[in-house]
Amino acid sequence: MAFSVSREGEVTVVDVTGQLIVGNRQELRQKVLDELRGGARRFLIDFTDTAYIDSSGLGVLVSLSKKIREAGGELRLSSLSEDLRTLFELTKLDTLFRIADSRQEGLEAD
Amino acid sequence: MRPTEARHEMERQLVFELPNDIRRIEDTVEFVVSRCMVCREVAHKLHLNFRVSLTEALSNAMIYGNRRDPAKRVRVEVYVRASSVTAQVSDEGPGFDPDEVPDPTVVGNRSRSHGRGLFLMRELMDEVRFNDSGNSVTLVLHLPETDAASDRAPA
């Protein structure tokens, strides 16, 4: 599993490859918080290559979203598979996040 | 992890113990799922429902049950049958009352960063049972009947 960070215009994009679970959630948290401290405000986490997310992974997304919002920024999610979308719907987290169907849609400004 | 694996005519059994280390969860889940691939028809349920639920059970056991104590261990027993996959995960902690865990989907709880593990297990598995003390959970996933299974069924 890996988290790669890149910049697309003003958006900091994090690609999640493999699983986002209890064993690696802190790595994602640290990478995003480092970018936030460095001045980044618009974030997109892309799940194109993500197999599954557990409750700890969902929890770290909730926590990061809160921190980014408190700093005046925004966290969006994109490219959730049908399985991953099911997890967000079951937990009602689809009501908490802005979820784009594609990476491109997630990158678009309002 | 030194699993013992036994095959009977209609059942495969896998029993092992894990050190209390959350870094072991990912590989453990993949190992168990690889031993549960009964047929392609059930692969999808194993891929999401079972994988996520087993991850939840292991992390609950290590973090909340054994309180991250590296001296403690987690026991895993998996039974694969034509009609179901059952996983029992037990920790060495005092246990808890699963009925006291709040619903993470009510509006006031949705923005919390914890408390979704048990909920996901209950949503994704067909049965979730705890022992009386609450330090052992049994997850059951019923599998759709396959041609091979129905061939073996009595007339």
Side-chain angles (χ1 to χ4, degrees):
Chain A
M1 101 300 267
F3 307 108
S4 65
V5 180
S6 58
R7 294 280 289 191
E8 302 223 14
E10 291 186 355
V11 183
T12 300
V13 181
V14 184
D15 288 285
V16 179
T17 303
Q19 283 72 251
L20 172 56
I21 61 171
V22 62
N24 65 8
R25 61 179 165 162
Q26 293 300 349
E27 188 186 338
L28 173 67
R29 181 181 160 83
Q30 199 53 55
K31 280 183 189 267
V32 171
L33 291 183
D34 286 348
E35 294 292 326
L36 189 66
R37 285 191 201 98
R41 289 296 178 265
R42 288 185 58 196
F43 289 84
L44 177 68
I45 301 183
D46 189 87
F47 294 97
T48 301
D49 296 316
T50 311
Y52 70 103
I53 304 175
D54 72 355
S55 66
S56 296
L58 295 173
V60 84
L61 294 176
V62 170
S63 146
L64 286 173
S65 173
K66 203 181 295 182
K67 285 200 176 297
I68 291 168
R69 214 171 36 245
E70 284 168 1
E74 184 188 15
L75 169 63
R76 296 181 186 177
L77 313 178
S78 65
S79 313
L80 293 170
S81 67
E82 197 178 324
D83 283 348
L84 297 187
R85 196 171 274 275
T86 298
L87 296 178
F88 279 79
E89 289 170 358
L90 284 173
T91 53
K92 303 268 199 296
L93 288 180
D94 56 328
T95 64
L96 229 60
F97 289 99
R98 183 157 168 182
I99 301 174
D101 286 339
S102 67
R103 184 189 189 95
Q104 193 52 46
E105 186 188 319
L107 288 170
E108 287 170 5
D110 286 326
Chain B
M1 181 169 63
R2 288 182 182 170
T4 61
E5 196 166 358
R7 277 169 182 260
H8 304 287
E9 189 177 355
M10 297 290 284
E11 176 179 293
R12 173 183 280 186
Q13 180 183 343
L14 189 62
V15 179
F16 55 93
E17 283 191 355
L18 279 176
N20 205 61
D21 182 349
I22 58 171
R23 293 170 299 184
R24 300 289 298 274
I25 291 177
E26 185 175 358
D27 287 345
T28 301
V29 171
E30 293 312 308
F31 171 75
V32 171
V33 169
S34 73
R35 294 296 190 278
C36 292
M37 286 297 180
V38 183
C39 63
R40 283 173 53 179
E41 285 81 355
V42 302
H44 182 258
K45 277 183 115 178
L46 288 169
H47 175 73
L48 180 75
N49 302 46
F50 187 69
R51 244 186 202 148
V52 173
S53 300
L54 184 57
T55 302
E56 301 298 348
L58 291 171
S59 58
N60 278 353
M62 291 178 181
I63 295 171
Y64 300 110
N66 285 344
R67 299 181 191 277
R68 296 181 183 269
D69 182 348
K72 291 186 172 172
R73 300 182 71 79
V74 173
R75 180 178 174 84
V76 181
E77 297 179 37
V78 180
Y79 304 93
V80 185
R81 301 178 182 91
S83 60
S84 66
V85 176
T86 299
Q88 184 173 21
V89 176
S90 308
D91 60 62
E92 298 182 75
F96 77 112
D97 182 353
D99 294 332
E100 288 188 358
V101 178
D103 181 350
T105 65
V106 299
V107 174
N109 293 339
R110 285 182 203 171
S111 56
R112 291 183 180 173
S113 58
H114 296 90
R116 296 181 181 84
L118 178 57
F119 173 84
L120 279 179
M121 280 191 269
R122 284 179 164 150
E123 288 290 321
L124 296 174
M125 300 298 285
D126 294 308
E127 294 175 43
V128 177
R129 299 189 300 265
F130 287 86
N131 64 351
D132 288 343
S133 57
N135 69 345
S136 178
V137 63
T138 301
L139 311 170
V140 183
L141 187 66
H142 297 309
L143 305 177
E145 190 170 297
T146 64
D147 289 344
S150 59
D151 286 348
R152 287 194 297 267

